[in-house]
Amino acid sequence: MLILVIGGARSGKSSYAEKRIKELQTNSNDVVYIATAIPFDGDMNERIKRHQDDRPIDWHTVERYKQFNQLKMKEEFIQSKFVILDCITVMITNLMFDFYTDVDFETMNNEQINKLEVDIENEVNELIDVCDQHGKTLIIVSNEVGYGLVPSYRLGRIFRDIAGRINQKIASRAEEVILVTAGIPLRIK
């Protein structure tokens, strides 16, 4: 089963996803939490620590944002029933800078942007497929990026467009899509 939990920044989507897992799980240690954030500055370190403090200590944390086929070699993944990835938009950001370390996003051409999106989509599909092949319930947390202003800089627009289309593709594969606003979940699929 695939569940997409989507909402704005600080909407309560991570808390909802974690609560949902707790409602579904039968054992306390059958959850793999995939954390996609990279601690690149003090603010991110604080955000990561807050998320670590909020989740149960018996959940298995895997820090990863790519190469999800490697999960099937991890004992905690094999033993788990549930996987939560938090969050897809941080993952997309990491991948954008991984795939294009020497490119100026302000001058990228459409061919490069399309290839970048395909590469990111392949990583997302790899995660969904490996969980599906191993019978895991997967909850993906993502930011809704379409409610804000159009970014004034090209990198922001590229990110917003890719993230929006990736969210659509995940939602099309998901059995459930939950929109969280002000801490209140609304099932939209």
Side-chain angles (χ1 to χ4, degrees):
M1 172 183 253
L2 173 60
I3 301 168
L4 173 62
V5 178
I6 191 165
R10 304 293 171 263
S11 63
K13 60 192 175 294
S14 294
S15 297
Y16 172 80
E18 292 171 13
K19 179 182 174 209
R20 183 69 188 275
I21 287 279
K22 290 173 190 172
E23 291 169 355
L24 293 170
Q25 75 183 108
T26 53
N27 256 339
S28 61
N29 64 349
D30 56 2
V31 177
V32 170
Y33 186 101
I34 302 174
T36 62
I38 298 171
F40 58 83
D41 66 12
D43 287 341
M44 187 56 78
N45 283 334
E46 282 298 315
R47 292 177 81 170
I48 290 169
K49 179 160 180 17
R50 188 170 42 251
H51 276 276
Q52 289 169 337
D53 292 345
D54 288 347
R55 65 181 171 258
I57 58 171
D58 50 358
W59 286 8
H60 305 283
T61 300
V62 174
E63 294 177 355
R64 174 172 302 277
Y65 62 90
K66 61 183 178 179
Q67 301 173 335
F68 293 105
N69 269 331
Q70 293 180 6
L71 288 172
K72 59 189 173 188
M73 294 178 268
K74 294 190 165 288
E75 188 65 28
E76 58 267 24
F77 178 79
I78 294 166
Q79 300 298 324
S80 70
K81 293 181 185 174
F82 306 98
V83 176
I84 181 170
L85 181 130
D86 195 357
C87 86
I88 205 80
T89 45
V90 170
M91 178 181 144
I92 290 169
T93 302
N94 294 340
L95 291 170
M96 286 178 72
F97 292 110
D98 266 10
F99 293 149
Y100 287 100
T101 55
D102 297 330
V103 172
D104 179 2
F105 284 93
E106 295 300 316
T107 60
M108 279 181 86
N109 62 44
N110 286 336
E111 185 178 317
Q112 290 171 308
I113 294 169
N114 292 338
K115 175 158 181 7
L116 173 63
E117 185 170 339
V118 166
D119 291 343
I120 290 169
E121 184 179 353
N122 288 339
E123 292 289 342
V124 172
N125 285 334
E126 185 176 294
L127 167 68
I128 295 170
D129 292 344
V130 76
C131 288
D132 189 47
Q133 292 161 4
H134 291 84
K136 312 298 181 197
T137 295
L138 171 62
I139 296 182
I140 294 178
V141 177
S142 187
N143 287 293
E144 173 50 68
V145 295
Y147 291 156
L149 297 173
V150 175
S152 60
Y153 52 97
R154 191 154 188 256
L155 171 59
R157 291 190 302 274
I158 292 168
F159 167 79
R160 183 214 43 199
D161 293 350
I162 290 173
R165 285 190 292 267
I166 294 294
N167 282 341
Q168 290 178 50
K169 290 173 182 173
I170 295 169
S172 73
R173 291 188 67 178
E175 285 81 11
E176 288 182 38
V177 178
I178 308 297
L179 174 66
V180 180
T181 302
I184 300 169
L186 174 64
R187 184 180 172 143
I188 57 176
K189 179 182 178 186

